[in-house]
Amino acid sequence: MGIEATVLRWGVIGTGRICETFVPDIQAAGGRVVGVWGRTAEKTDTFAQEHDIPFATLDLEQLLGRDDIDVVYVATPPATHLDLSVRALQAGKHVLVEKPMATSAADVEQLFDVARSHDRFVMEAMWMKFNPLHVEVVRRIQAGLIGEPRYVRGAFGMPFPAGGSRWDAALGGSTVLDQGIYPVTLAIWVLGQATELLATGTVRDGVDVTAQISMVHENGRTSQLACSVLEFVDPSASMSGTAGWVEIPAMFWATDVAHLHAGSTGALFGKPELLTRPREGNGYIPMIRSVTKAISSGHRQHPEHDLSATRSVARVLDAVRAQIHGEVRA
């Protein structure tokens, strides 16, 4: 499959809200969106016209069969990610699949296995790990800014209107998969693998709608995390250590500002250092640019978010959901 220098030709599977912001960032990052697949003709045609996409179809095989598409972005309900991504990989396309990559760690493993067998790139679109602010915060923490990292706190909770895939168990509806993935990813990124966890929460009609998660990580480090689609749960995060702490204000997974309470007496007990990294476009451009570079360089997994990283988070999400659904608190 030909790739013209670092210009990738994209096909998009889905026409929902996230695609409305993702497609412009593909184009701003230098990619060419060649085609889009959707479930209804009117919406798919309208989406294509609004985003200057030359080809729109309701036939997935038509999209995947095009020789002028190098990589496919999958942005449909979570329960459909595995099947659609496998079909794209089997058609010879590289795949970037919206988070969560799949609804279980076993399915994550399967996707990477299929990608490997077809010599194709696959990655979960966890854009927070490519956000310049978060990358710089973690770099400074790893360089010793807060001493030894010991504790992470993070939450993503807000009341979402009822309806849609978020509330449908058959489509993979789950606050743990949709919101909880962000604080879990942050905690593992900073503190390392989780070795123990305790989760409580609420389930309605087969969908986990709240979760409170306590984790123990390598070397006795700990994290306290929460997510909800029923109420607000302070959507900020902090990372604390033996020499200070970093605060990322709401919305912590998407913001371009952090407060560094470390590095000097003034920053600790007075005014923290303000760290800013302005957002590009809708926030996805750094990830798209990095994925483009990885694919063009011949990588089949992204060095910054590979199978190991995706699997570690997926296993925690599996365990959290198993504990919550085992309780089944109405």
Side-chain angles (χ1 to χ4, degrees):
M1 185 189 330
I3 296 179
E4 181 184 349
T6 57
V7 176
L8 291 183
R9 300 164 299 180
W10 293 74
V12 174
I13 298 179
T15 57
R17 180 184 56 82
I18 194 166
C19 291
E20 293 284 356
T21 54
F22 201 92
V23 165
D25 277 11
I26 293 175
Q27 295 163 331
R32 292 164 48 200
V33 182
V34 173
V36 59
W37 172 89
R39 291 178 296 175
T40 63
E42 182 178 0
K43 185 172 183 180
T44 305
D45 290 342
T46 299
F47 186 93
Q49 292 168 10
E50 290 177 345
H51 297 283
D52 296 320
I53 302 172
F55 178 72
T57 182
L58 306 186
D59 185 339
L60 185 63
E61 298 308 317
Q62 281 191 348
L63 183 77
L64 298 180
R66 292 183 66 99
D67 292 333
D68 58 352
I69 290 178
D70 304 306
V71 55
V72 167
Y73 171 60
V74 178
T76 51
T80 67
H81 287 179
L82 175 63
D83 175 64
L84 293 173
S85 298
V86 165
R87 291 171 68 180
L89 291 166
Q90 290 174 337
K93 310 305 181 187
H94 303 296
V95 173
L96 178 65
V97 55
E98 191 48 54
K99 62 83 195 165
M101 172 176 264
T103 57
S104 72
D107 287 352
V108 166
E109 295 272 7
Q110 182 179 344
L111 270 181
F112 277 94
D113 285 345
V114 173
R116 189 179 302 111
S117 67
H118 287 81
D119 191 30
R120 287 294 171 259
F121 175 94
V122 68
M123 192 188 91
E124 176 185 67
M126 174 44 70
W127 65 309
M128 183 181 70
K129 291 194 71 174
F130 298 87
N131 184 325
L133 177 85
H134 296 78
V135 170
E136 178 62 13
V137 165
V138 173
R139 186 195 70 78
R140 293 196 188 194
I141 288 174
Q142 292 174 341
L145 175 68
I146 62 172
E148 180 191 354
R150 297 295 304 170
Y151 175 74
V152 169
R153 174 197 60 78
F156 183 167
M158 57 188 66
F160 285 93
S165 61
R166 182 175 279 115
W167 296 85
D168 189 336
L171 294 177
S174 160
T175 189
V176 172
L177 294 178
D178 195 21
Q179 287 79 46
I181 191 171
Y182 286 109
V184 169
T185 296
L186 182 66
I188 292 175
W189 195 9
V190 173
L191 300 179
Q193 300 290 332
T195 57
E196 302 175 41
L197 70 85
L198 175 65
T200 60
T202 306
V203 175
R204 292 186 180 176
D205 299 322
V207 176
D208 46 90
V209 293
T210 72
Q212 302 80 40
I213 308 163
S214 298
M215 293 200 294
V216 178
H217 301 257
E218 300 165 352
N219 301 316
R221 301 168 177 181
T222 59
S223 60
Q224 296 288 330
L225 317 170
C227 55
S228 176
V229 292
L230 296 184
E231 67 271 305
F232 285 104
V233 184
D234 178 13
S236 65
S238 64
M239 293 137 283
S240 306
T242 55
W245 75 99
V246 175
E247 177 191 8
I248 306 180
M251 309 299 179
F252 84 82
W253 58 93
T255 186
D256 58 4
V257 174
H259 304 285
L260 311 182
H261 299 263
S264 69
T265 301
L268 279 169
F269 301 106
K271 185 176 181 180
E273 177 187 347
L274 178 65
L275 176 68
T276 62
R277 290 291 185 273
R279 176 186 293 193
E280 291 186 77
N282 295 308
Y284 306 109
I285 291 176
M287 179 179 68
I288 294 166
R289 187 183 294 128
S290 189
V291 165
T292 300
K293 181 178 179 181
I295 293 175
S296 299
S297 299
H299 290 289
R300 295 303 183 245
Q301 296 182 27
H302 198 289
E304 302 303 321
H305 196 57
D306 60 5
L307 167 60
S308 176
T310 309
R311 178 175 54 203
S312 294
V313 173
R315 286 177 173 173
V316 167
L317 302 182
D318 276 359
V320 169
R321 296 182 76 210
Q323 289 190 21
I324 294 174
H325 286 261
E327 294 179 345
V328 190
R329 284 198 293 135

